[in-house]
Amino acid sequence: MKIYVPRDAAARGLGADDVAVAIVTEAAKHGVTVDLVRNGSRGMVWLEPLVEVATDAGRMAFGPMTPADVPALFGDLAAHPKALGQTDALPWMAKQTRLTFARVGVIDPLSLADYEAHGGLAGLRRALTMDSASIVAEVTESGLRGRGGAGFPTGIKWKTVAEAKADRKYIVCNADEGDSGTFADRMLMEGDPFTLIEGMAIAGIGTGATKGFVYLRSEYPDAIEVMTAAVEIARKAGVLGASVLGSGKAFDMEIRTGAGAYVCGEETSLLNSLEGKRGIVRAKPPLPALQGFMGKPTVVNNVISLATVPVIFERGAAFYKDFGLGRSRGTIPLQIAGNVKHGGLFEVAFGLTLGEIVDVIGGGTASGRPVKAVQVGGPLGAYFPRSLFDTPFGYEEFGAKEGLIGHAGLVIFDDSADMLKQARFAMEFCAIESCGKCTPCRIGAVRGVETVDRIAKGDAGAIPLLTDLCNTMKSGSLCALGGFTPYPVMSALTHFPDDFAPAMKEAAE
Ligand SMILES: Cc1cc2nc3c(=O)[nH]c(=O)nc-3n(C[C@H](O)[C@H](O)[C@H](O)COP(=O)(O)O)c2cc1C
Ligand code: SF4
């Protein structure tokens, strides 16, 4: 009997380990030999721990499971009270286009054989037959843009590094994943670590970098454990090392742990931290692509950007580019969180409207109350009201509405949310997390909290002051922490004026 119990941190947090122990105990009682696979999560967090049993009719899902539900797994499966049916046929799964996450939840994360049996390493093998320029051209042609937040074309970044002359070059994977409500990087690393390793190896071969680092946040102990083990396995198997898959081309990598600061996700701050310095933002230029880690040309890419590279090489740039909307090509792993009925990871081509994501896929709020706002793109993202729910999910489409998609995290709020408090929180977050290098952010965020407090007390004169302050932070900050904090603040003020009402009323008088 083959049974899958996720080893994903969210599933473990919800009791997956206890369920796994109960399965082993119960199997022994029944004299049944169980092949227990600790897989990644399928992304349906509200059903975790989601247990799957392999049957002739495919994998059957059961959840959310508790140890008390385990004995019935050894009886009539169809009659199990937690039976959900075939995993792949569940609406949440059937509606997705899983390219980057195709193997997550399906395979044993630390089995290289399982990885290869599901298409793994095909992309790297193909890349090894290509020269550097063709590898970079393939990435450019795919239309892939950085999934860390800025949406910068990955091919252009790789081209800059590939064409730079230097004795050493580096690939740095940004796995700091600091945005509120996001977990795609973590899920990928815990559920399919070899995909990230393969993507980094292709990046190295394509740009002439022989060394890579994954900068992984310390708050992700499970991901650190899985990634560290996977690198070791890949090295032993010759996927990493002096001759990648026997090609004669070298690429190796290490996992490094960050100490935990939101600003250390900003690429130049991350590089400082990786070099053992304080995580403070560097002025650009020079670009990290020309002078990055240790002053050498460095590709800094998000986990999802790099983990999407293998499928692009396996299926071809044209295949990947065919999905999407406008200049947002391919698929995006949406992370649906907050006050939502069905939260989790949903990978789909760009282009669904915000309303479809929140109401149809997410199923509305968990509280059952009306949705008031959705913050898209992490703590620096704008709050979208229901009147903007027709916005299609794409970089330009959200930009046109004074928002951003960032790392594709969506945090949903019901009508009990106070948007003035949310605006204050944005300023407070910026004040706490500011690296302190530039004045608009270091001082502006502190003044921002004070100004929102004045509005809360009914001081209408503080509203134009807050708008002014936001404009200064937007145009004068050195990086997006100070530069984008105005998005949540101004969207709260613009779309939810009633929450700033006492002051608004005074201003009208
Ligand atoms: C304050 C701040 C925090 C950031 N945090 C992250 C992060 O946690 N992960 C990430 O990939 N990018 C983060 N970024 C974006 C990075 O600076 C950079 O654009 C990204 O790593 C580039 O990779 P990509 O092109 O693949 O997106 C952050 C940016 C800022 C300004
Ligand atoms: S905007 Fe804030 S975090 Fe960014 S460099 Fe300036 S002080 Fe540092």
Side-chain angles (χ1 to χ4, degrees):
M1 202 174 173
K2 194 165 188 174
I3 304 184
Y4 297 81
V5 181
R7 62 161 302 157
D8 176 276
R12 291 188 65 204
L14 291 161
D17 290 348
D18 292 343
V19 171
V21 169
I23 288 171
V24 173
T25 311
E26 195 64 25
K29 266 194 219 160
H30 290 262
V32 176
T33 310
V34 166
D35 177 6
L36 185 71
V37 179
R38 297 304 300 267
N39 58 338
S41 168
R42 294 283 197 153
M44 295 171 279
V45 180
W46 77 99
L47 293 175
E48 294 287 7
L50 182 113
V51 169
E52 289 174 88
V53 179
T55 72
D56 292 342
R59 276 158 72 160
M60 309 303 283
F62 303 84
M65 287 286 285
T66 65
D69 298 317
V70 167
L73 283 180
F74 294 85
D76 176 9
L77 286 178
H80 194 288
K82 297 283 177 75
L84 300 163
Q86 236 184 338
T87 316
D88 290 335
L90 295 173
W92 181 273
M93 297 307 297
K95 284 185 194 164
Q96 294 186 59
T97 302
R98 284 206 165 199
L99 301 183
T100 311
F101 279 76
R103 283 177 289 260
V104 175
V106 176
I107 62 166
D108 176 346
L110 289 174
S111 164
L112 198 53
D114 209 2
Y115 180 67
E116 282 201 75
H118 288 83
L121 297 182
L124 177 59
R125 289 209 166 86
R126 183 173 158 234
L128 285 168
T129 66
M130 299 159 75
D131 62 16
S132 166
S134 314
I135 292 174
V136 171
E138 186 82 1
V139 176
T140 306
E141 181 53 31
S142 73
L144 179 67
R145 292 167 70 177
R147 303 289 191 240
F152 188 80
T154 308
I156 294 179
K157 193 178 278 187
W158 286 27
K159 190 169 191 278
T160 311
V161 175
E163 291 176 356
K165 302 265 173 288
D167 55 345
R168 297 214 75 174
K169 298 179 187 179
Y170 297 98
I171 306 298
V172 172
C173 171
N174 190 340
D176 201 47
E177 194 159 60
D179 280 1
S180 37
T182 64
F183 43 86
D185 297 352
R186 180 187 61 70
M187 261 186 68
L188 190 289
M189 290 186 287
E190 290 173 4
D192 189 13
F194 295 121
T195 296
L196 177 56
I197 293 170
E198 184 179 348
M200 288 180 71
I202 296 173
I205 306 290
T207 59
T210 50
K211 183 78 197 250
F213 296 97
V214 179
Y215 185 90
L216 226 166
R217 61 183 297 142
S218 59
E219 296 92 334
Y220 281 177
D222 291 37
I224 294 169
E225 191 186 314
V226 177
M227 280 307 304
T228 305
V231 166
E232 200 54 44
I233 293 167
R235 197 177 288 132
K236 279 205 183 111
V239 177
L240 294 172
S243 178
V244 170
L245 293 175
S247 65
K249 292 174 182 163
F251 185 77
D252 210 336
M253 58 189 275
E254 282 177 36
I255 309 301
R256 293 284 180 90
T257 309
Y262 182 68
V263 80
C264 281
E266 191 283 332
E267 57 184 4
T268 61
S269 189
L270 182 154
L271 290 170
N272 274 336
S273 172
L274 202 57
E275 289 177 9
K277 299 174 185 149
R278 185 180 145 206
I280 193 164
V281 172
R282 297 178 185 171
K284 288 191 267 189
L287 291 173
L290 295 172
Q291 288 179 43
F293 183 65
M294 296 296 181
K296 303 291 180 190
T298 305
V299 168
V300 183
N301 270 144
N302 173 252
V303 172
I304 303 303
S305 315
L306 288 162
T308 300
V309 168
V311 72
I312 290 171
F313 279 80
E314 183 196 347
R315 318 275 301 254
F319 166 82
Y320 189 76
K321 193 182 187 171
D322 206 27
F323 296 93
L325 166 84
R327 288 182 51 220
S328 307
R329 306 314 312 166
T331 58
I332 182 82
L334 302 168
Q335 298 130 82
I336 307 171
N339 186 346
V340 65
K341 196 168 169 198
H342 296 155
L345 185 131
F346 191 94
E347 182 179 350
V348 69
F350 284 97
L352 281 186
T353 65
L354 183 57
E356 285 171 305
I357 297 167
V358 174
D359 295 332
V360 182
I361 296 163
T365 61
S367 61
R369 299 176 67 99
V371 175
K372 178 168 180 174
V374 186
Q375 188 176 29
V376 185
L380 310 175
Y383 288 99
F384 275 64
R386 197 163 259 290
S387 59
L388 293 179
F389 271 21
D390 57 351
T391 311
F393 209 85
Y395 294 101
E396 280 65 36
E397 291 72 13
F398 266 65
K401 304 276 170 71
E402 293 294 311
L404 50 117
I405 64 172
H407 187 46
L410 299 100
V411 179
I412 294 153
F413 295 81
D414 75 10
D415 62 354
S416 65
D418 178 340
M419 302 312 290
L420 181 137
K421 282 192 184 150
Q422 293 306 121
R424 187 188 192 281
F425 173 73
M427 283 294 189
E428 190 188 15
F429 179 81
C430 183
I432 293 168
E433 299 292 336
S434 169
C435 84
K437 179 140 177 165
C438 69
T439 315
C441 167
R442 186 184 65 246
I443 308 281
V446 178
R447 293 289 96 87
V449 174
E450 294 165 3
T451 313
V452 176
D453 283 345
R454 278 172 59 184
I455 298 171
K457 284 185 187 139
D459 178 355
I463 289 182
L465 202 60
L466 184 65
T467 309
D468 252 16
L469 180 62
C470 281
N471 286 336
T472 305
M473 288 176 72
K474 212 170 168 178
S475 54
S477 296
L478 189 59
C479 85
L481 179 45
F484 285 11
T485 292
Y487 279 104
V489 176
M490 288 310 295
S491 58
L493 185 60
T494 308
H495 301 307
F496 305 96
D498 288 355
D499 289 4
F500 296 74
M504 288 288 189
K505 268 186 228 146
E506 232 178 83
E509 281 161 16

